[in-house]
């Protein structure tokens, strides 16, 4: 069963083309990472799929239901975490849960209690008194506790501290074990890497790449920065190494796969500093998706 | 629907000022009116008795227009639109919540007015109470619709003098409509509050209730439904 299907889904706001002919087919039970920088059209996609905005062209379906035509039927199957935690300030977290659960019908109260513990939420506090991160937790707990068939999460970890991100990952994996479908919009590469079966990459309203993490090998590349005492050697010919930037005594490399060939090439060279880190999404976009519509799967 | 009603009541319960406005202020104003007309109690009867049924209209208009405006501007309306709830159920939930508040409000005002302040309802205070609830729902429906045309709470409050005051002046509460300039008499019949006032006036004066009361109530209900339908049309999912 296909949980999410989009065919030529397009949205134009005035003169801005926010989403351009999106095609998606996400199977039930899949954890799908929807990766893109801010402004790429991730939230627009979610709004169209949930039937909050009307597509300019094309169609989107949740479990075969067009959410614009029949929002109530579509929303019954969805737990949604919005990009901004807009909630009712005068209600406490518990009251918010009770209200949302009442509308959804299907709720696991015991699991909700567990999540309140896990996310260390003071459920009797009014939403007004909560920080943005805590309001985000209220949204998360509410969405996961519904046990909806599909969880649509729009940048769900924004505002969460690292400890809570761990709790979030655990909760997503539990949902996956139960067979729930998860649509995770994010601009954080490591989060998507850790959780998702398949990844779609969105750039300026277009899906520029899609595949499993193994297929998108370049996402696993490491950025290595080295400074030498003197002129850097030519490392462009080393297997798995791409010179991204070279200036003076410093080079920035992108290393795919094992760093062993690079280490061998550096042996005996006057290396002053060497740092290795995960590339930011911005760097990946710059190097792989800049200007072209096809990903360079190197 | 019940879930929405309960949520709205939960929110209002937390807001002590709104509770005071809804439950305390009408009684206070009525008592004030009683002593303003201390030596002319017939006038107090003429104005005060229908007032018991008009307070809910005025206050529910104010409270709903601001409450709905907050939903629209704070992002919670989009949140609601992403939940499995239909627009009629959402509006029904609001109607139940505000209807229940209006019932409490009307009960308090009518008790004080008819028992303590010596007002007289020839056809029974309960009829005034029922009409008051109907008027509260009319106020709610108009407030909900009006909130679509405001962007800030200040703008929403401005609808009070623009939408509510003219209706109050023309409905016949302060001066009989027969004594108004001829064009105004016609204009008055375009406003739903005129019919609400007529029904209240009939309920508090001696004389047969007759079919006109039914007609007046029907107009008020019709206007409420029309305003709700217009209001529903403004609850668009396509918030740009």
């Amino acid at each position: 069963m296909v949980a999410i299907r989009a065919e030529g889904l397009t949205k134009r706001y005035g003169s801005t083309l926010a989403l351009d002919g999106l095609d998606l087919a996400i199977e039930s039970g899949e954890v799908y990472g929807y990766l893109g920088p801010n402004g790429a059209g991730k939230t627009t996609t979610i709004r169209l799929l949930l039937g909050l905005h009307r597509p300019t062209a094309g169609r989107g379906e949740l479990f075969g239901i067009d959410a614009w035509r029949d929002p109530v039927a579509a929303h019954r199957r969805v737990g949604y975490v919005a990009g901004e935690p807009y909630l009712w300030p005068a209600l406490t977290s518990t009251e918010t849960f009770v209200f949302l659960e009442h509308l959804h019908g299907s709720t696991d109260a015991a699991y909700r209690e567990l999540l309140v513990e896990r996310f260390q939420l003071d459920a009797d506090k009014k939403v007004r008194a909560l920080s943005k991160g805590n309001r985000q937790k209220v949204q998360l707990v509410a969405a996961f506790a519904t046990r909806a068939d599909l969880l649509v999460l729009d940048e769900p970890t924004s505002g969460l501290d690292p400890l809570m991100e761990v709790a979030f990952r655990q909760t997503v994996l539990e949902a996956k074990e139960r067979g729930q479908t998860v649509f995770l919009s994010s601009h954080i590469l490591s989060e998507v890497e850790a959780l998702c079966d398949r990844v779609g990459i969105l750039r300026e309203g277009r899906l520029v790449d899609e595949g499993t993490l193994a297929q998108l090998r370049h996402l696993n590349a490491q950025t290595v920065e080295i400074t030498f005492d003197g002129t850097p050697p030519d490392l462009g010919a080393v297997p798995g190494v791409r010179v991204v930037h070279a200036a003076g005594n410093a080079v920035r490399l992108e290393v795919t796969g094992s760093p062993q060939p690079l280490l061998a090439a550096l042996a005996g060279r006057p290396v002053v500093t060497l740092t290795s880190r995960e590339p930011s999404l911005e760097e990946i976009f710059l190097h792989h998706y800049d200007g072209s519509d096809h990903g360079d799967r190197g | 629907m019940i879930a929405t009603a309960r949520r709205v009541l939960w929110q209002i319960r937390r807001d002590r000022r709104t509770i005071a406005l809804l439950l305390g202020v009408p009684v206070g104003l009525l008592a004030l009116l009683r002593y303003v007309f201390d030596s002319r109690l017939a006038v107090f009867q003429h104005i005060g008795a229908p007032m018991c049924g008009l307070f809910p209209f005025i206050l529910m208009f104010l409270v709903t227009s601001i409450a709905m405006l907050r939903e629209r501007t704070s992002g919670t309306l989009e949140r609601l639109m992403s939940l499995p709830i239909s627009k009629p159920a959402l509006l029904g939930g609001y109607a139940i919540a505000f209807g229940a508040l209006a019932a409490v409000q009307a009960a308090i005002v009518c008790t004080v007015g008819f028992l303590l302040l010596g007002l007289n309802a020839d056809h029974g205070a309960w009829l005034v109470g029922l009409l008051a609830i109907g008027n509260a729902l009319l106020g709610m429906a108009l407030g909900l619709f009006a909130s679509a045309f405001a962007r800030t709470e200040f703008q929403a409050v401005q609808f009070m003098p623009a939408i509510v005051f003219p209706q109050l002046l023309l409905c016949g509460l302060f001066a009989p409509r027969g004594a108004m300039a001829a064009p105004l008499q016609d204009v008055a019949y375009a406003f739903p509050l005129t019919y609400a006032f007529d029904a209240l006036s009939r309920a508090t004066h001696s004389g047969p209730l007759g079919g006109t009361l039914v007609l007046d109530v029907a107009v008020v209900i019709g206007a409420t439904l029309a305003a709700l339908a217009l209001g529903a049309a403004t609850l668009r999912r396509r918030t740009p």
Side-chain angles (χ1 to χ4, degrees), chain A residues 2-7 9 24-26 49 59-63:
Chain A
V2 178
I4 297 181
R5 186 190 294 284
E7 280 166 8
L9 198 60
L24 279 181
I26 298 168
L49 288 173
R59 50 188 288 130
E61 286 178 353
L62 304 177
F63 300 104

Side-chain angles (χ1 to χ4, degrees), chain B residues 185-203:
Chain B
Q185 296 186 27
D186 295 334
V187 172
Y189 281 110
F191 292 144
L193 204 67
T194 304
Y195 301 89
F197 170 75
D198 279 358
L200 285 166
S201 178
R202 238 174 278 278

Side-chain angles (χ1 to χ4, degrees), chain A residues 234-295:
Chain A
D234 182 17
L235 297 167
V238 179
V241 173
R242 211 166 72 102
V243 180
V244 175
H245 185 76
N249 293 344
V251 288
R252 184 151 78 235
L253 313 170
E254 194 189 84
V255 180
T256 317
S258 164
Q260 187 53 45
L262 175 65
L263 292 177
L266 290 176
R269 304 281 181 177
V271 174
V272 179
T273 65
L274 185 148
T275 60
S276 175
R277 61 179 167 86
E278 179 181 75
S280 69
L281 195 61
E282 286 69 24
E283 283 175 315
I284 290 174
F285 271 77
L286 198 65
H287 301 146
H288 292 278
Y289 302 108
D290 192 38
S292 76
D293 289 333
H294 301 284

Side-chain angles (χ1 to χ4, degrees), chain B residues 15-32 55 59 101 104-106 108-109 112 117:
Chain B
D15 191 345
R16 294 221 181 107
R17 276 180 191 233
T18 303
I19 294 285
L21 175 76
L22 289 176
L23 303 183
V25 169
V27 175
L29 284 178
L30 201 65
L32 186 69
F55 277 128
L59 293 174
L101 274 174
V104 176
Q105 185 185 45
I108 295 175
V109 177
V112 172
L117 295 177

Side-chain angles (χ1 to χ4, degrees), chain A:
Chain A
M1 172 113 203
V2 178
I4 297 181
R5 186 190 294 284
E7 280 166 8
L9 198 60
T10 301
K11 182 65 185 179
R12 190 180 279 285
Y13 294 104
S15 62
T16 317
L17 189 60
L19 199 64
D20 185 7
L22 175 75
D23 294 314
L24 279 181
I26 298 168
E27 286 295 323
S28 198
E30 207 176 345
V31 178
Y32 189 90
Y34 199 50
L35 207 51
N38 293 324
K42 300 192 295 291
T43 300
T44 300
T45 307
I46 289 171
R47 283 184 168 147
L48 294 177
L49 288 173
L50 290 178
L52 298 173
H53 291 197
R54 189 184 206 152
T56 309
R59 50 188 288 130
E61 286 178 353
L62 304 177
F63 300 104
I65 304 162
D66 181 335
W68 180 261
R69 291 222 186 91
D70 193 353
V72 176
H75 295 161
R76 223 168 257 142
R77 309 197 58 178
V78 179
Y80 170 46
V81 172
E84 288 289 327
Y86 294 132
L87 297 164
W88 295 273
L91 299 186
T92 65
S93 304
T94 305
E95 287 166 346
T96 307
F97 297 143
V98 171
F99 170 58
L100 296 174
E101 286 164 8
H102 214 102
L103 294 183
H104 262 282
S106 65
T107 298
D108 187 335
Y111 189 54
R112 189 236 289 172
E113 288 305 309
L114 189 146
L115 291 178
V116 168
E117 282 287 303
R118 182 182 295 170
F119 284 101
Q120 295 165 20
L121 204 58
D122 183 354
D124 295 324
K125 248 190 183 170
K126 271 190 234 176
V127 168
R128 177 181 289 122
L130 298 178
S131 67
K132 191 188 169 207
N134 278 318
R135 276 183 283 140
Q136 187 70 16
K137 291 184 204 168
V138 174
Q139 273 207 104
L140 284 168
V141 172
F144 281 101
T146 61
R147 298 250 168 134
D149 297 326
L150 171 64
L151 293 162
V152 175
L153 314 176
D154 192 359
E155 309 221 346
T157 55
S158 64
L160 290 192
D161 57 54
L163 213 60
M164 289 302 126
E165 280 185 39
V166 175
F168 168 74
R169 289 181 190 191
Q170 186 188 348
T171 311
V172 170
L173 292 175
E174 282 169 5
K176 182 182 174 177
E177 275 168 28
R178 272 197 296 271
Q180 290 172 286
T181 313
V182 180
F183 184 82
L184 172 64
S185 143
S186 177
H187 66 267
I188 302 159
L189 191 59
S190 54
E191 178 174 286
V192 169
E193 270 182 336
L195 294 171
C196 299
D197 304 316
R198 221 150 52 94
V199 180
I201 292 179
L202 195 69
R203 179 181 175 272
E204 290 176 5
R206 307 192 68 169
L207 198 67
V208 291
D209 215 347
E210 192 184 43
T212 62
L213 283 172
Q215 285 167 332
L216 304 178
R217 206 157 40 89
H218 54 273
L219 299 186
N220 297 320
Q222 288 283 308
T223 295
V224 177
E225 284 164 322
I226 310 171
T227 34
F228 294 91
D229 185 12
T231 312
D234 182 17
L235 297 167
V238 179
V241 173
R242 211 166 72 102
V243 180
V244 175
H245 185 76
N249 293 344
V251 288
R252 184 151 78 235
L253 313 170
E254 194 189 84
V255 180
T256 317
S258 164
Q260 187 53 45
L262 175 65
L263 292 177
L266 290 176
R269 304 281 181 177
V271 174
V272 179
T273 65
L274 185 148
T275 60
S276 175
R277 61 179 167 86
E278 179 181 75
S280 69
L281 195 61
E282 286 69 24
E283 283 175 315
I284 290 174
F285 271 77
L286 198 65
H287 301 146
H288 292 278
Y289 302 108
D290 192 38
S292 76
D293 289 333
H294 301 284
D296 166 14
R297 297 198 171 175

